[in-house]
Amino acid sequence: MVRADARENRARILAAAREAFAEDGDTSMNQIAQRAGVGPGTLYRNYPNRDALVLAINQEEIERLTGSVDQLLAASPPVEALRLWTIDLVAAMRAKNGLGDALSPAAHKAITEQSYGPVIEAITSLLDAGKRDGVIRSDAEPGDFLQLTGALWRAAPERTESILALILDGLSVRPR
Amino acid sequence: MVRADARENRARILAAAREAFAEDGDTSMNQIAQRAGVGPGTLYRNYPNRDALVLAINQEEIERLTGSVDQLLAASPPVEALRLWTIDLVAAMRAKNGLGDALSPAAHKAITEQSYGPVIEAITSLLDAGKRDGVIRSDAEPGDFLQLTGALWRAAPERTESILALILDGLSVRPR
DNA sequence: TTGCGATCTGGAGAGGTCTCCGTTAACGTA
DNA sequence: TACGTTAACGGAGACCTCTCCAGATCGCAA
């Protein structure tokens, strides 16, 4: 049983965090707590660290991304679908402050059901489609791919396309 | 003209930092300052941030790495040389706390002559050798490659080889 | 309605990075 | 040698993330 006041606090924190991040992506946890009218302790009780809060705030964005996979696969060949999806993902990582870090595999010794898991599943779907068509190496690992996207959003935006092309090339099956 | 006491302080800081990092890779800047017998202000005057200090401490390791390129290229074909060198680099990034971050291109809007620059040069040599032999794409960028190594040291150690293989594959010229 | 666990709260504070700036002391000059 | 200039010093402190826990509060059972 979740106490009513606790649930309400949680909602207030989320709302405050959304507002704060919208105004300034560099908002501190303390500022968010203050804005929500709770102490830092309460903030951290609900979201054990910054990454957790960032993931919670961007939940919808992540659902949009993971939800777009089927459509992309229906409209494009697997590798192209993967390329388009990844560009979308990287754009989100850049736009939403801290999202790239929060989704990094390093942040998830214990995997987050709500966010990290679905993203890995989305990548798995995309890779599997390519494997079925024989255009993506059968040993390609979703976790490795997500790890590599880290290089994409950290790089200068104008480098994104070429680095991604390189990664996709490495994932592709060589013509014989 | 550098004041004598300043030069001595600089040396003491470096020595203290080396010791401190050897004992515990997570040493704080304050601890290092204290150990060196200077105030935090003096520490930061000499090394404007943690990355700068980490680079200074690992200067020799970086020189060893950049110095090993010629030998590798003499002994192995370019792609294999690049592979071996990168494994060495990634091992160093993992072993020396903070070195991976400090060498990340993101940390160098203003490039560090002493450390970051030479590493880029080393990568350039390795890539150029491959380009001359027609086995590496002529549009391969050293900065992009360094960016991608970030994914290597951040990943679990047992994933290093396979992710690196993928990157090298992406860099290679496709057989026709 | 009241009582009483169990749950939740908030803020003090530990320990971090890094800045600011009044004070100190090195060193060229006379 | 004495002095003025000025680079260098160091610590107080701003602001950060995150922890700990004494006390407040909720909601079930009687």
Side-chain angles (χ1 to χ4, degrees):
Chain A
M1 191 66 214
V2 180
R3 264 165 60 168
D5 58 335
R7 187 172 43 249
E8 214 210 292
N9 267 334
R10 200 165 212 280
R12 272 224 312 287
I13 288 170
L14 213 51
R18 255 190 260 269
E19 282 171 32
F21 272 104
E23 283 173 21
D24 170 14
D26 267 352
T27 324
S28 80
M29 296 296 269
N30 279 347
Q31 277 168 35
I32 291 167
Q34 197 165 15
R35 185 165 196 148
V38 302
T42 302
L43 173 52
Y44 278 92
R45 150 175 284 267
N46 283 280
Y47 302 98
N49 53 48
R50 177 171 260 272
D51 285 345
L53 181 58
V54 168
L55 287 181
I57 287 173
N58 293 294
Q59 187 71 351
E60 286 158 33
E61 180 72 5
I62 289 167
E63 279 163 21
R64 184 187 67 72
L65 276 161
T66 58
S68 72
V69 168
D70 287 350
Q71 213 168 357
L72 282 169
L73 281 174
S76 312
V79 176
E80 176 64 4
L82 178 58
R83 195 181 72 81
L84 292 171
W85 187 83
T86 306
I87 285 180
D88 201 0
L89 172 69
V90 170
M93 283 169 157
R94 268 203 264 263
K96 313 293 181 176
N97 217 290
L99 186 55
D101 280 324
L103 281 178
S104 146
H108 296 270
K109 314 262 169 166
I111 281 178
T112 308
E113 306 297 320
Q114 298 291 312
S115 306
Y116 178 80
V119 169
I120 287 289
E121 270 173 45
I123 296 174
T124 304
S125 298
L126 288 159
L127 291 178
D128 282 354
K131 291 177 187 178
R132 267 197 305 278
D133 283 14
V135 292
I136 288 201
R137 289 160 174 260
S138 57
D139 59 354
E141 282 284 341
D144 291 354
F145 184 81
L146 185 53
Q147 190 72 257
L148 283 165
T149 62
L152 292 175
W153 70 263
R154 279 182 239 265
E158 68 270 19
R159 305 300 312 152
T160 306
E161 303 257 351
S162 57
I163 302 180
L164 177 54
L166 190 153
I167 295 172
L168 293 176
D169 230 55
L171 283 170
S172 299
V173 170
R174 298 258 150 171
R176 289 259 112 241
Chain B
M1 188 65 212
V2 180
R3 262 165 59 168
D5 58 335
R7 186 170 48 248
E8 214 210 292
N9 267 334
R10 202 165 211 281
R12 271 224 311 289
I13 288 170
L14 213 51
R18 256 190 259 268
E19 283 170 32
F21 273 105
E23 283 173 21
D24 171 14
D26 267 352
T27 323
S28 80
M29 296 296 270
N30 279 347
Q31 277 169 34
I32 291 168
Q34 196 165 15
R35 186 166 196 146
V38 302
T42 302
L43 173 52
Y44 279 92
R45 150 176 286 269
N46 283 280
Y47 302 98
N49 52 48
R50 177 170 259 273
D51 285 345
L53 181 58
V54 167
L55 287 181
I57 287 173
N58 294 293
Q59 187 71 352
E60 287 158 32
E61 181 71 6
I62 288 166
E63 279 163 21
R64 183 187 67 71
L65 275 161
T66 57
S68 72
V69 167
D70 287 350
Q71 212 167 358
L72 281 170
L73 280 174
S76 312
V79 175
E80 176 63 4
L82 178 58
R83 195 181 72 81
L84 292 171
W85 186 82
T86 307
I87 285 180
D88 202 359
L89 172 68
V90 170
M93 284 169 156
R94 268 203 264 263
K96 313 293 181 177
N97 217 291
L99 186 55
D101 280 324
L103 280 178
S104 145
H108 295 270
K109 314 261 169 166
I111 281 178
T112 307
E113 306 297 319
Q114 297 290 314
S115 306
Y116 178 80
V119 169
I120 287 289
E121 271 172 45
I123 295 173
T124 304
S125 298
L126 287 159
L127 290 178
D128 282 355
K131 291 177 187 177
R132 268 196 304 278
D133 283 15
V135 292
I136 288 198
R137 287 161 176 261
S138 57
D139 59 355
E141 281 284 340
D144 291 354
F145 184 82
L146 185 53
Q147 191 72 257
L148 282 165
T149 62
L152 292 175
W153 71 264
R154 278 182 241 264
E158 67 271 19
R159 305 299 312 152
T160 306
E161 304 257 352
S162 57
I163 302 180
L164 177 55
L166 190 153
I167 294 172
L168 293 176
D169 231 55
L171 283 169
S172 299
V173 170
R174 298 258 150 169
R176 286 263 108 240

